[in-house]
Amino acid sequence: QVRLVESGGGLVQAGGSLRLSCAASGSLISNTTMSWYRQAPGKRRESVADISSGGSTYYASSVKGRFTISRDIAKNTVYLQMNSLKPEDTAVYYCYAPFFNYHYWGQGTQVTVSS
């Protein structure tokens, strides 16, 4: 049974930083592409960043230069370091990964950026 558990969300002022964590169990993050998505109220879920099994990274244009995705293979955990946060970054952030031809999502963690 694969499980993804996010943590690290919260309330922060504009310009501040947060680090999200996604701890995986039941499979190895090094075997797949791990992704972060977010969904703001009334908007569609959108891709934020991902890291491939080989370590290559991708960022949405809206977060490039401010967010950094990384992983600790020993801890089987993926991180999203978010700097220079803006009110428009406010959303529920989800961890996602495909394992064994199934799609797995975490429960989400709320990030709120006040102006």
Side-chain angles (χ1 to χ4, degrees), residues 2 12 20 29 39 68-69 85 101 105 108 115:
V2 175
V12 65
L20 306 183
I29 64 170
Q39 187 166 20
T68 302
I69 189 170
L85 283 161
N101 296 321
W105 293 90
S115 57

Side-chain angles (χ1 to χ4, degrees), residues 28-30 53 71-77:
L28 298 178
I29 64 170
S30 56
S53 57
R71 63 185 182 179
D72 186 329
I73 292 175
K75 294 182 178 179
N76 216 33
T77 299

Side-chain angles (χ1 to χ4, degrees), residues 1-95:
Q1 179 76 14
V2 175
R3 190 172 179 221
L4 304 175
V5 179
E6 301 101 334
S7 61
L11 173 64
V12 65
Q13 288 188 331
S17 299
L18 283 173
R19 188 177 81 155
L20 306 183
S21 300
C22 171
S25 59
S27 192
L28 298 178
I29 64 170
S30 56
N31 290 342
T32 191
T33 294
M34 300 292 297
S35 303
W36 285 98
Y37 283 75
R38 67 186 181 186
Q39 187 166 20
K43 295 189 176 181
R44 297 178 65 178
R45 193 171 295 189
E46 63 176 1
S47 174
V48 175
D50 59 49
I51 184 165
S52 72
S53 57
S56 299
T57 57
Y58 156 84
Y59 297 94
S61 57
S62 58
V63 307
K64 194 173 294 184
R66 300 187 297 123
F67 291 11
T68 302
I69 189 170
S70 63
R71 63 185 182 179
D72 186 329
I73 292 175
K75 294 182 178 179
N76 216 33
T77 299
V78 176
Y79 303 97
L80 185 68
Q81 177 67 43
M82 305 185 295
N83 299 328
S84 302
L85 283 161
K86 304 175 181 180
E88 51 264 44
D89 295 317
T90 295
V92 178
Y93 284 71
Y94 297 91
C95 182

Side-chain angles (χ1 to χ4, degrees), residues 96-104:
Y96 163 81
F99 287 109
F100 314 117
N101 296 321
Y102 286 90
H103 302 274
Y104 294 92

